[in-house]
Amino acid sequence: MQRRSFLQRIGLAAAATAATATLTPQSLLAAEAPKGPNTMDIDTALKAITGGKAVTPSKKVHLKAPEIAENGAVVPVTIEVDSPMTNDDYVKAIHVFATKNSNVRCADIMLTPANGAAMFATRIKLGSSQDVLVVAETSTGEFLSAKQSVKVTIGGCG
């Protein structure tokens, strides 16, 4: 290779790099990705479930999720709520939310005293690093919650 052609190729490569450096990933992508029919933010979802009642963080709700999830398509979560599960005092429902997904509702589990324990385990999809929020609805009308941040290496939604 001649020195002159080598320098010309280096110059072309530098010019191409400078031209692409002005293009940000946001400018290459659409301004906003189209949203599906089930798009819902966390406030709307919570209001739909609680009817506007307060959600109280509680140590009775135990959420187990990894701090770092390598693959956001399959993030294991385990939820357990301390409850006697009697006919007078039991957990009616456990709701799982991914706070930054386009549809934040991941799972809604309905329980009765016949379940014996308020426990649930599943795998959820996370599009990016975000909080996983669990809301437990009791038979007394309370809404108890627990939240954990999960860092996602590879997003699982799309």
Side-chain angles (χ1 to χ4, degrees), residues 42 46 49-50 53-64 78-82 91 93-97 99 131-138 141-148:
I42 188 69
L46 283 175
I49 289 172
T50 65
K53 290 183 179 176
V55 177
T56 308
S58 173
K59 292 185 178 183
K60 290 182 178 179
V61 181
H62 307 280
L63 168 61
K64 228 187 270 185
T78 302
I79 300 104
E80 190 168 356
V81 183
D82 295 335
V91 175
I94 297 173
H95 307 279
V96 182
F97 302 94
T99 59
D131 290 334
V132 174
L133 174 69
V134 173
V135 174
E137 180 180 358
T138 67
E142 289 181 300
F143 291 94
L144 308 175
S145 70
K147 183 169 39 172
Q148 181 177 333

Side-chain angles (χ1 to χ4, degrees), residues 8-30:
Q8 284 177 338
R9 289 182 183 170
I10 291 291
L12 287 174
T17 302
T20 58
T22 59
L23 298 174
T24 60
Q26 289 81 16
S27 68
L28 296 174
L29 299 173

